[in-house]
Amino acid sequence: MFYVTRIEESVRIDPLKLNVPADRAVLQTLREKYSGSYDKELGYVVTVLRTVEVDEEGYLIPGDGGVKVRSVADLLCFLPYPGDVGLGIVEEVSESGAKVRVGPMTGMLHISQVFEGDYAVYDSARNAFVGKTTQKIVQVNDVLRVRITSISTRNEAKETRLMLTCRQPGLGRVQLHPQQAEAQQSKK
């Protein structure tokens, strides 16, 4: 899911950044360009980690006040595939399903996919799903182990959607270690 990739690119350094060292100016420019963007090959670019190499000399383009510099940089990316299993945090619960944050992306967990071997019922008083026979509960801020069933991508990361399921063995709400559960109860 998460991985680091190396890119090579000619970066235009804005004239206002020419007073900054070239490697910092390139890093800043690449972060503005890539951080938070989605690319079908790279996936969701979380951030630009570092510049590995920046040429000492750049070149000018007539009529442009900026300088182009060849650079090599490392990007931290998130590229989910159907079938991947990961941890997610429930952000919102509604009658139709739950929004679950998996890494930097949000996925949809349909109400029919919440529990393995049980039907989920939306409880509006608790703003949670309750298992019809098992009485298991899934609510906001719960940690779930989910499987990505499909990915709907468009041009922007905000339009990329993950479809999730918990209806398989080993998936669902993650039980906290007793010490973590006590710490969480003391925060409430």
Side-chain angles (χ1 to χ4, degrees), residues 13-164:
I13 300 176
D14 191 81
L16 299 174
K17 295 179 184 173
L18 291 176
N19 62 342
V20 178
D23 57 336
R24 282 203 335 216
V26 167
L27 181 62
Q28 200 175 29
T29 302
L30 288 173
R31 282 185 175 158
E32 289 168 5
K33 178 179 179 181
Y34 284 108
S35 294
S37 66
Y38 185 84
D39 181 84
K40 287 204 183 239
E41 291 178 20
L42 297 175
Y44 183 87
V45 179
V46 179
T47 190
V48 179
L49 296 173
R50 65 188 150 270
T51 52
V52 178
E53 182 183 329
V54 176
D55 281 356
E56 302 234 347
E57 294 182 9
Y59 56 93
L60 297 171
I61 297 175
D64 185 2
V67 176
K68 286 261 191 168
V69 178
R70 190 193 72 78
S71 65
V72 177
D74 289 338
L75 307 178
L76 176 63
C77 301
F78 179 80
L79 184 60
Y81 289 100
D84 283 352
V85 175
L87 295 178
I89 298 174
V90 178
E91 291 184 331
E92 183 182 322
V93 177
S94 68
E95 291 178 9
S96 61
K99 287 186 180 179
V100 180
R101 167 78 56 193
V102 180
M105 300 175 87
T106 301
M108 179 65 184
L109 178 65
H110 190 268
I111 191 168
S112 66
Q113 300 295 312
V114 176
F115 298 114
E116 177 195 357
D118 197 3
Y119 295 99
V121 179
Y122 177 68
D123 183 354
S124 59
R126 289 193 247 181
N127 193 29
F129 295 124
V130 180
K132 194 170 185 177
T133 57
T134 61
Q135 297 299 307
K136 291 181 181 177
I137 297 173
V138 170
Q139 57 193 357
V140 175
N141 293 328
D142 280 353
V143 177
L144 301 178
R145 182 169 287 113
V146 296
R147 179 178 307 277
I148 298 170
T149 57
S150 65
I151 303 166
S152 169
T153 57
R154 296 213 172 109
N155 293 337
E156 297 178 24
K158 292 177 183 160
E159 295 181 35
T160 302
R161 262 239 149 111
L162 304 175
M163 296 304 294
L164 309 170

Side-chain angles (χ1 to χ4, degrees), residues 158-179:
K158 292 177 183 160
E159 295 181 35
T160 302
R161 262 239 149 111
L162 304 175
M163 296 304 294
L164 309 170
T165 187
C166 288
R167 286 190 73 92
Q168 296 170 351
L171 302 180
R173 187 168 178 219
V174 175
Q175 298 297 322
L176 296 176
H177 189 275
Q179 293 172 339

